Amino acid sequence: MSETILPELPQELWRAGKLELAHGVQQFLQVIRVATAGLGQYLAEIESRGAKDLYGYGSTAKWFADVAGLSFGEARPVVNRAIALNPTRGLDGTELPAVAPATAAAAAEGAVGDERIQQILDFLASLPLDTSAEDREHAEKTLAELARHAGPRQLAEAEQNLLGWLDPDGAEPKEPEPKQPRRELTLERRKDGFWKLNGLLDDEAGARTAAALEAYAAPRPVDEFGQADLRTKPERLGDAWVDLVDLAIACPDQPGTSGYRTLVHVTIGLDELKSGLGTACVDYVGTMTAREARMAACDCLMLPVVLNAAGEPLDVGRLRRFVTPGQRRALNIRDGGCAFPGCHRPPKNCHAHHIHHWADGGPTDLRNLTLLCGFHHRLIHHGDWQVRMAADGLPEFIPPQYLDPLRQTRRNTLHRAA
Ligand SMILES: [Zn+2]
Ligand SMILES: [Zn+2]
């Protein structure tokens, strides 16, 4: 190591110009930094040989604290920086490379001081454990070059950028346990009254969902009047979704429903329910047309709360509406599925439609009930088609005049054939 020549102090400092002063500060600052780097090399060598063997101290920092008149807390970071910037040897003689060689080079030139060196070392220590050696090396080099001219804030900014580049997901806790499947669903009501369904499913749940939807989303076969299913794929999937929800609601094991297929309330005035005109209130979140409410109330897809003109609840909704499980079983056997001509839907996808609506005084008994799938239930409530009970106790359907000018009655023979 060559002798370091200290800059000469001018004879009369008070005479020095501002440039001379600044230059002097720069010179001594560099000397301090170079000296600190040199001191670090000595400390690293003592660490390599072992302070215990050399001087009988438990650690290099303890020894250095005594020599320099420092507290252990003051001495320790000095020694730690020295070890990080210089190669050392382990007790068994193995070479331990410097953690921050580029920073060490800048320090040896006197270009960076302790504070920026510590900032770089702290950053390197904060990197995720799985950061590759190349990435560490690149980050250290970048910061060391920048630290020659940059202050703490600029260096910190560069560190943030590097961190984003090295570890875009942030510090994630390592999970030793198998991951929980990721399933998320959000359902929110929009201002326009539509509901927005959004979700993210793991592969297994996604595949099951797709299979369940596909099973109900197939296009309806061309019916006997030559009408094809004109629904788009998303529309068919949407209808399939509703079928699945109905199926879940109809399941007697459904939690919290006591076996009834009702979870949602629809509040409607008796006049509106009878006429199908006006609006109804759905579970206090939105409105639906009275015609929709009439259909929903038909098989208690929703629990109707029927109000009189004064807004008081009437018993009519509670007393007349329920199709008992026994009636439903008998209905399933009698109709075998959707009773609409040409429909394949099995009983589990069907509603029990009141031919004469209970709100108009129609009884809830087999002679007034028929199974209809969601689609044909809607169609019947729309009014162009009519359903009535034939003399033999089976439902028959009357097509609208635009389909059959003679309006001859039709029946579904598919379930019976099966
Ligand atoms: Zn109905
Ligand atoms: Zn049907």
Side-chain angles (χ1 to χ4, degrees), residues 80-386:
N80 284 347
R81 277 195 294 273
I83 295 168
L85 294 184
N86 294 285
T88 50
R89 298 181 303 280
L91 289 176
D92 55 354
T94 49
E95 293 283 337
L96 302 170
V99 174
T103 309
E109 293 170 32
V112 286
D114 284 344
E115 295 79 7
R116 298 294 72 74
I117 291 170
Q118 193 61 53
Q119 193 176 356
I120 292 171
L121 294 178
D122 288 346
F123 172 75
L124 292 175
S126 76
L127 287 178
L129 290 175
D130 56 359
T131 307
S132 70
E134 294 82 54
D135 284 348
R136 276 178 189 278
E137 198 182 322
H138 169 77
E140 196 259 328
K141 235 181 219 168
T142 306
L143 294 175
E145 284 311 306
L146 187 64
R148 289 169 180 268
H149 310 288
R153 195 175 291 184
Q154 204 184 336
L155 198 61
E157 252 170 49
E159 287 175 350
Q160 281 308 308
N161 290 340
L162 279 169
L163 204 58
W165 171 70
L166 289 169
D167 181 29
D169 298 328
E172 258 183 293
K174 293 263 178 265
E175 287 175 277
E177 291 164 36
K179 272 193 173 173
Q180 281 288 313
R182 187 164 172 205
R183 295 161 189 179
E184 298 170 4
L185 209 65
T186 56
L187 182 63
E188 54 182 332
R189 187 172 182 278
R190 306 193 308 189
K191 282 209 174 82
D192 62 6
F194 283 96
W195 291 68
K196 176 102 180 146
L197 177 69
N198 235 320
L200 195 69
L201 299 173
D202 61 277
D203 201 21
E204 183 239 334
R208 281 216 309 259
T209 306
L213 284 173
E214 293 290 346
Y216 286 96
R220 279 186 296 274
V222 175
D223 66 19
E224 50 195 290
F225 309 105
Q227 281 203 318
D229 187 347
L230 298 175
R231 293 173 299 164
T232 62
K233 177 99 191 274
E235 286 169 344
R236 284 189 277 113
L237 285 172
D239 287 343
W241 169 264
V242 176
D243 279 344
L244 290 175
V245 170
D246 279 353
L247 210 57
I249 288 176
C251 173
D253 296 334
Q254 170 99 5
T257 58
S258 326
Y260 293 117
R261 54 182 304 164
T262 322
L263 295 167
V264 180
H265 296 78
V266 53
T267 307
I268 185 169
L270 184 58
D271 288 344
E272 284 83 357
L273 184 60
K274 282 185 168 174
S275 67
L277 301 172
T279 56
C281 184
V282 184
D283 242 2
Y284 318 107
V285 295
T287 57
M288 67 189 333
T289 66
R291 181 147 80 179
E292 292 281 325
R294 208 173 138 85
M295 182 189 135
C298 182
D299 185 28
C300 301
L301 301 172
M302 294 178 172
L303 179 70
V305 179
V306 184
L307 307 175
N308 66 13
E312 295 154 345
L314 294 171
D315 279 344
V316 56
R318 264 187 292 141
L319 293 181
R320 296 201 191 130
R321 65 174 196 270
F322 282 124
V323 176
T324 66
Q327 284 174 323
R328 178 63 197 234
R329 268 196 300 278
L331 207 53
N332 289 352
I333 292 165
R334 189 196 72 192
D335 288 350
C338 176
F340 197 90
C343 185
H344 290 78
R345 284 291 168 91
K348 64 179 177 181
N349 297 125
C350 290
H351 308 153
H353 168 65
H354 286 72
I355 294 171
H356 189 43
H357 202 283
W358 55 257
D360 304 325
T364 300
D365 65 38
L366 285 184
R367 300 251 337 147
N368 190 41
L369 292 169
T370 180
L371 286 188
L372 288 174
C373 71
F375 175 74
H376 288 122
H377 194 192
R378 189 167 296 274
L379 198 64
I380 287 293
H381 275 266
H382 192 266
D384 287 340
W385 278 83
Q386 282 164 19

